[in-house]
Amino acid sequence: MTLETFTIFPTNKHNRPTPPAKVHLHGLDGLSAAIQIHNHRFFRRPSTPITEVIQQLKATLAEALELYPPVAGTVQSNDKNEIFIAMDKEGIVGTPFLVDFKDTPFVKDFEDLSPRTEMILPPMASNLAVKVTQFSCGTICVASSFNHQVADLRGFLDFLEFWAQLSRGEPVDFTRIPDDWERTPDRFFSDLIKQFEGVPLPAPPPFVLLDPPELGPSAYLLAPSVATNWKFTKTLMEQLKRDLSPPADSKFWISSGDALAALVSGAITRARQDSKVARLEGRSSEESGLESIAMAADGRERAPKGDMSGGRYLGNFNNLWSLTVPRSDLSTPTTEAAGRVALAIRTNLDVQLSAESVAKRVAFFDNPENRSPPGRVGWRADVVLTNWCRFDLKGPKLQFGWGEKPFMATSGGGKVFPPAYSLMTEDKETGDVFVLLTVEKDGEGALVGDVLLNKYATLITE
């Protein structure tokens, strides 16, 4: 096995305007510590020699870093605890680019294919790291690790798609690059936000105002977790939606995503309850009889003028929203109980992701009293869900121009995720959905054996 390490710096070939030396993070950027987003893509042996593949990836990555200065920079803080992306010469420490040649054939995705495997990035870590692995059979994995404080998944994919476009030799599409790197999402919702000026807004769920401020994640998010992976075939996904849907003559409806979210939330809750997992700080109390489900949702397409999507905003515009549901519904392994949870998810999603609700959330985070001191805004949840099914992680926008399209794409390994977390992806060719589910170590056996979960999904063991 041979491991080579390179450091990639931005090119200087496009004569772009000089970016600001630093960009202060928005409140939506600083909701979590510097955790990572991972992307692993797997390609069959290309006809292009591997040396040319590596050189092409390095050269086009350097060009992409020039055109995306925040990705080339580092997240730092000052003596006032203000967090910002440094993009001056001192802030650009170089992007690690690792190349690993293995003497074994490819078998499956695993954690060590990522260039970084720690849960939280250390101070002054590069915002991006890349690792290219070639197995003895010729399979190539291109894995990327991205600082979540710099952008959400949509922003990360905007960058990866841009890098891939350069690698394919296509002309630079400057319309896909933000005009402004500043973290000011309010400019896309200005007309709606005006109505909230001078109005004290309560913290929208799942956010809370904390005194004293909290500068780290809740205790339960740091508990050791076990990751399990599940496959839902297209046929069983359709069956799940039918089984959890309201009656046909009802005015209500749910999506497949609502049904899936209800199912996995119940499975996690039952696993914890059956295994008597301790309720650490950050979770709902036993006495409340309620559980809080938080869900990530990209709010770019909610901008009234439609001018925030299409690569126009790099940052975290992940409008984390939540709902509370009776614990009894989550604890009961029946389709009737899960159906009630799915309908509650749909009802709350429609309300909390309206353009006005998104604008209200931005106004809350823009309020100086909520921004200072840092850490004043925290969030609480029992279960955290992320649905990536809208993204085609093997699609043509992510092809590098050598070989065929990826035959597999994943979110990386599971050790970097907290317990009670679910990440969903979809294979657009087959319609099959893959779900990563985590739970505290004590709850692993109960989760794997959950009757309702096993009715619709198959545990992936290899």
Side-chain angles (χ1 to χ4, degrees), residues 242 244-254 339 343-344 346-347:
R242 286 195 297 269
L244 270 59
S245 288
D249 58 354
S250 169
K251 64 178 180 179
F252 302 110
W253 73 281
I254 62 169
L343 184 56
R346 169 51 43 186
T347 302

Side-chain angles (χ1 to χ4, degrees), residues 81-102:
N81 287 324
E82 296 173 330
I83 305 175
F84 55 88
I85 302 174
M87 298 183 290
D88 55 7
K89 183 178 295 186
E90 290 72 25
I92 299 177
V93 298
T95 296
F97 189 103
L98 302 129
V99 179
D100 192 5
F101 296 99
K102 292 192 175 296

Side-chain angles (χ1 to χ4, degrees), residues 27 51 68 70 98 105 124 158 161 185 201 212 252 268 294 311-312 325 337 342 371 389 401 433 442:
T51 53
Y68 269 78
L98 302 129
M124 286 295 294
D158 284 341
E161 290 173 2
L201 298 172
F252 302 110
I268 290 172
R312 306 307 299 165
V325 294
R371 295 201 309 265
C389 291
V433 174
D442 290 344

Side-chain angles (χ1 to χ4, degrees), residues 292-324:
S292 173
I293 304 172
M295 302 185 186
D298 178 21
R300 289 169 175 78
E301 294 181 358
R302 308 291 171 167
K305 297 179 182 178
D307 54 351
M308 194 179 190
S309 54
R312 306 307 299 165
Y313 183 78
L314 181 73
N316 281 277
F317 206 57
N318 175 350
N319 281 253
L320 191 67
W321 64 277
S322 76
L323 74 158
T324 54

